[in-house]
Amino acid sequence: VGEAGRVPGSAGAAGWMPAEAGIRPQIRDLEMQNIASLAHLARTIPDVITLWYGEGDQVTPEFIRDAAKAALDRGETFYVPDMRGWAPLIEALSGYQTRLYGREIGTDRSIVAPSGMQALYLGLSLVAETGTNVVYLEPQWPNIRAAIHLLGAEPRPVPLALERGAWRLDLDAVAAACDARTRAIVFSTPSNPLGWTASRDELAALLALGREKGVWIVSDELYNRLYFAGETAPSILEIAEPEDRALAVHGFSKAWAMTGWRVGWLVHPPSVGPALAAMTQYMNSGTAAFVQAGALAALEQGEPVVAAMRERCRAGVETAYRLLGPVNRIALPQAPPGGMYVFFAVEGEADATALCRRILEEARVGLAPGWLFGEAGRAHLRMCVCRDPGALEEACRRVAGLLAG
Amino acid sequence: VGEAGRVPGSAGAAGWMPAEAGIRPQIRDLEMQNIASLAHLARTIPDVITLWYGEGDQVTPEFIRDAAKAALDRGETFYVPDMRGWAPLIEALSGYQTRLYGREIGTDRSIVAPSGMQALYLGLSLVAETGTNVVYLEPQWPNIRAAIHLLGAEPRPVPLALERGAWRLDLDAVAAACDARTRAIVFSTPSNPLGWTASRDELAALLALGREKGVWIVSDELYNRLYFAGETAPSILEIAEPEDRALAVHGFSKAWAMTGWRVGWLVHPPSVGPALAAMTQYMNSGTAAFVQAGALAALEQGEPVVAAMRERCRAGVETAYRLLGPVNRIALPQAPPGGMYVFFAVEGEADATALCRRILEEARVGLAPGWLFGEAGRAHLRMCVCRDPGALEEACRRVAGLLAG
């Protein structure tokens, strides 16, 4: 900050300070590292295939865009009066979830949010605060740790263990991490970045643990339709009673190619619906009606899109395993049963940042370093495989060529 | 919650509890009262003119909707990579604000949020937390108090005083309300619900107070273009140095008829930009690109819209004062210099809820009770005047007829 930013007469005899000195300490500690520096470098390299973001490469299907455009044409540009969401979408979510999970999920169970991220933040804000802690499984999407931290709570990672090539949940370790100040246990299933997917028995065990300890279960299910052995990965919604302390985070981003729409939803016990509606009013005052109209079209007509996206991810995992598997130095775990990522280590490479940089510069492929997802996968690399098959195959050949050489 | 919601084996020897028992105490205390019960009643009454929401009655202009539709057609359905916002909008915001306020507001000063409400919440989250307090002027838009409360901080209202028919800022009272735990002073200008507008001198005095105490100034300027004596109401951005602890909350909702778009922005010191970008990633991960494309069109081509909206509000205030003024029981303060509301008391009527109900049932006009905005205007009524002139005139005649009778 130069002279222009100087504040005459600002507080403190010690002289001038930038405004940044006046923010919450918790926020000064916020993780701000990400792949921005790699992305910056990538712009200087021709013909890079970037697989670091958790996003496919397909534009949202036309019928979904048309539904939003039609809502704009109809003049749906006013507040949505119900803070839970646009009534037709709330209805459709109930029907969709009831069909998918084989048990009644009423219209009093879902609230729409401007992004799955905001749905997660809303859910965490309901239960976590300064003086509490939140347990979560690791490696994990970094936003979960950061959101807990931002809310003033202590993030408590519990590592999944990599045993004989498979990531495994250690329930005893989860139980041991909980204490009297623990408010929630959070995980993503299928996991970002692992693809690890909680079995129905594991979800039941986590729910039982939550009941025993009076702790909330927050199941991030953004990837649940991208599960290769069925219509959906096992969901906490299949087993939790309505009034269990259980929240499920959902969104349209992944399975319907709607990352840029910023719309998701939180499934919750009926009794906390009024609190969540009030919180929504005071956090964002709702999601655009025409965005919700697009989401409605996705739910009503989007099953072929979901099926195609699932197949794209399944084939992407297969391609990556076929091409990376033969490289001796690449340590692939068991192939993930869902999600849109392959997460792997490279023998002799402990510094994922240096390795990502080398792969970017020499193989012209963008991967995300594992430390973004916590200590448990520090030296790993994450590759998004939800891509055009030709581009993905080329990227995998480049990486394999570099690491085999 | 019925039998279906019962949780087998749920925690606590005292037996089953709804999940609501497990949420943050701060949220159980959250204000959930609003005009929903009146709105519910209104649906049973024919020919009601509802003037209780802070929203005009005009659909967003077509060129703004067209810009969003064109972005959808171009396939702008991916993540916006910069958490501060879509680059063309960030550029345009800098130019717009630099022109409007007559001093350089660089591209490192604004961050886009999915609603002005979220911009406010983001700003408050930057500075307020459990164990702190936030001072705010009252009567006030209830979301300000509620957002402070939701963040775990103590909301400290300082009443504006109604002196000889005018709402006046008591700077000494603001100073007296600040202590070592005060993190911010928040106000809206032009005010919702008052239309009271801080003069440049008052803003300078508030800023000086903030500097003296090391406290942030949060100026909610959602209505600043709806100011009847110029292009903009006085803004904190005209007087604060870039590195002052000052935040300005802005949005497209009011002046561009975009309430339903859920897009706003926060103006901040450059030094806190990285923190706000990280917070954005962990709270909402950005605002839809096609929504931002609409916002860009509003900035670039929307000045005639703003001028028409300003005139609609100015004429609305004039109509309300002309028709309500002659009624002896109606105590109108000095006409507001900006905003979209008229806020008035009725002699002999201390219970605003009962009076709103009577006006709804007998005059078929929907007004908002003053206690929503805090103690200082408890018995007042708020009327939104940003309406079709004929409908507004009819509503004012009905209210005048009832209260004169």
Side-chain angles (χ1 to χ4, degrees), chain B residues 167-189:
Chain B
W167 293 97
R168 292 195 197 283
L169 173 64
D170 182 346
L171 267 167
D172 293 338
V174 176
C178 295
D179 64 18
R181 291 172 179 263
T182 303
R183 301 309 312 277
I185 299 166
V186 190
F187 49 87
S188 53
T189 178

Side-chain angles (χ1 to χ4, degrees), chain A residues 372-394:
Chain A
L372 282 172
F373 310 95
E375 283 301 315
R378 175 154 206 91
H380 283 61
L381 307 178
R382 187 187 78 171
M383 170 187 280
C384 178
V385 298
C386 185
R387 277 296 182 293
D388 170 76
L392 180 65
E393 189 155 334
E394 169 66 17

Side-chain angles (χ1 to χ4, degrees), chain A residues 129-337:
Chain A
E129 61 189 317
T130 305
T132 70
N133 66 66
V134 175
V135 170
Y136 67 98
L137 300 184
E138 201 185 78
Q140 191 58 264
W141 181 43
N143 293 23
I144 287 180
R145 179 189 182 88
I148 296 164
H149 180 82
L150 187 48
L151 287 166
E154 177 206 343
R156 289 198 173 174
V158 172
L160 290 168
L162 190 53
E163 290 174 8
R164 292 184 302 280
W167 293 97
R168 291 194 198 284
L169 173 64
D170 182 347
L171 268 166
D172 293 338
V174 175
C178 295
D179 63 19
R181 290 172 180 264
T182 304
R183 301 309 312 276
I185 300 166
V186 189
F187 49 87
S188 52
T189 178
S191 152
N192 173 4
L194 299 180
W196 169 84
T197 301
S199 69
R200 205 175 154 115
D201 284 351
E202 285 170 326
L203 288 173
L206 287 162
L207 184 64
L209 181 62
R211 285 174 178 170
E212 179 196 326
K213 308 236 177 216
V215 160
W216 289 76
I217 301 298
V218 180
S219 182
D220 174 350
E221 303 185 350
L222 259 282
Y223 296 89
N224 76 328
R225 302 303 309 278
L226 305 180
Y227 183 65
F228 312 141
E231 283 296 312
T232 175
S235 167
I236 196 74
L237 299 173
E238 293 171 354
I239 56 170
E241 298 299 323
E243 283 298 331
D244 263 313
R245 294 183 185 181
L247 301 170
V249 180
H250 283 268
F252 290 91
S253 291
K254 309 298 180 181
W256 290 273
M258 292 174 69
T259 46
W261 289 62
R262 319 310 306 128
V263 56
W265 73 97
L266 183 71
V267 193
H268 58 80
S271 67
V272 302
L276 289 170
M279 291 169 73
T280 292
Q281 180 164 356
Y282 305 133
M283 286 171 67
N284 59 60
S285 298
T287 303
F290 56 85
V291 167
Q292 296 192 61
L296 177 64
L299 276 192
E300 289 185 337
Q301 306 162 54
E303 284 302 309
V305 176
V306 171
M309 195 68 78
R310 176 190 300 129
E311 172 54 21
R312 194 177 184 85
C313 291
R314 191 204 59 73
V317 168
E318 192 178 272
T319 297
Y321 271 66
R322 177 166 51 82
L323 296 172
L324 301 179
V327 180
N328 282 335
R329 293 179 62 206
I330 297 182
L332 287 172
Q334 277 181 23

Side-chain angles (χ1 to χ4, degrees), chain A residues 7 19 22 24 31 55 65 69 72-73 79 117-118 125 183 216 243-244 260 262 282-284, chain B residues 7 19 22 24 31 55 65 69 72-73 77 79 117-118 125 183 216 243-244 260 262 282-284:
Chain A
V7 179
R24 287 170 53 204
E31 179 62 59
E55 181 173 46
R65 292 183 281 152
K69 288 160 60 182
L72 283 165
D73 286 337
Y79 287 122
M117 182 66 240
Q118 182 100 142
S125 299
R183 301 309 312 276
W216 289 76
E243 283 298 331
D244 263 313
R262 319 310 306 128
Y282 305 133
M283 286 171 67
N284 59 60
Chain B
V7 179
R24 287 171 51 203
E31 180 61 59
E55 181 173 46
R65 292 183 281 151
K69 289 161 59 183
L72 283 165
D73 286 337
T77 62
Y79 287 122
M117 182 65 239
Q118 182 99 144
S125 299
R183 301 309 312 277
W216 288 76
E243 284 298 330
D244 263 313
R262 319 310 305 129
Y282 305 133
M283 286 170 67
N284 60 59

